[in-house]
Structure formats: structure tokens, C-alpha cells
Amino acid sequence: MDLVKALNSQYMKEELPEVKVGDTVRVHVRIKEGSRERIQVFEGTVIAKKHGGISEAITVRRVSYGVGCEKVFPLHAPNVAMIETVRKGKVRRAKLYYLRDRMGKAAKVKERV
């Protein structure tokens, strides 16, 4: 058991931002295209957090051109360069899957002041 913890701890990132469900975040992802590497930004609302430790992941949803897009980002993955919080959300649930059925203003999350 200690061996597993030791292996996991060496791959975990030291500083992670405080990300909660309902927050609007901007995830900077490293994209490799051939020999070049660039950073692409994915901005959206966190609708779920899963697991903990090395396998912790967040699901981020955004709507662009009327089409909803969700991506799951493992927080400790090396291709996730940075996560910044744009605004805090005020929610009363752990999972916001109901936002998939909402469109327009009904899909907004109130801001926590």
C-alpha cells in the first residue's frame, strides 16, 4: 500500500486551484501536433468532480455555436498546463447534469459573491 502511495505522490501536482462544481473555469491544455506543441484554452462550467488523489477529474461543459461540448480533464495529467477560475458559481448539488437539458439563460449558474 505504501508503494502505491509513493508512486502516486511523485506524479501528483503540488499546487492545484480550488475548483468547485458550478465554477466557470479556463483549462489550458497542451496539444501536440507533429513536432510542434501549443496550448489550447477550453472555457466552460464545471458540472462534475470525480474521484480523488491521482485520479481526480473534472467535467467541463460549454456551448459553442448552439452545440454542447463536454470534456473530462484529469487534474494531475501532464497535458493539463493550468486551470484558472473565471467566476465562482453558487449551486446546491454535487453534479449539474441537468444543465444538459437547458438552453440559453436557463443554463446559467448564479455567481457566488
Side-chain angles (χ1 to χ4, degrees):
M1 207 55 173
D2 293 329
L3 181 63
V4 173
K5 285 183 181 178
L7 284 172
N8 286 347
S9 65
Q10 84 182 41
Y11 290 109
M12 287 178 68
K13 292 181 180 175
E14 298 297 323
E15 293 183 22
L16 282 179
E18 188 68 29
V19 177
K20 294 184 178 177
V21 175
D23 293 354
T24 302
V25 294
R26 197 174 285 141
V27 183
H28 298 257
V29 185
R30 287 189 188 94
I31 304 290
K32 192 163 189 176
E33 297 170 332
S35 61
R36 293 177 50 228
E37 188 175 289
R38 65 183 175 88
I39 290 187
Q40 186 175 25
V41 179
F42 188 87
E43 184 174 341
T45 305
V46 178
I47 63 167
K49 277 183 82 170
K50 293 184 179 179
H51 311 297
I54 192 79
S55 61
E56 188 175 0
I58 58 171
T59 304
V60 182
R61 176 180 175 80
R62 80 164 176 210
V63 178
S64 57
Y65 300 104
V67 179
C69 178
E70 291 182 11
K71 287 189 179 183
V72 179
F73 295 103
L75 295 182
H76 296 283
N79 65 334
V80 175
M82 181 174 68
I83 298 174
E84 57 180 304
T85 305
V86 177
R87 58 181 281 226
K88 302 279 187 184
K90 181 182 178 186
V91 293
R92 298 172 68 175
R93 313 194 167 273
K95 305 280 194 263
L96 303 181
Y97 295 140
Y98 67 90
L99 291 179
R100 293 171 176 165
D101 302 328
R102 307 271 173 98
M103 295 296 291
K105 286 190 177 181
K108 286 178 71 175
V109 175
K110 290 183 182 176
E111 189 167 4
R112 187 176 52 207
V113 181

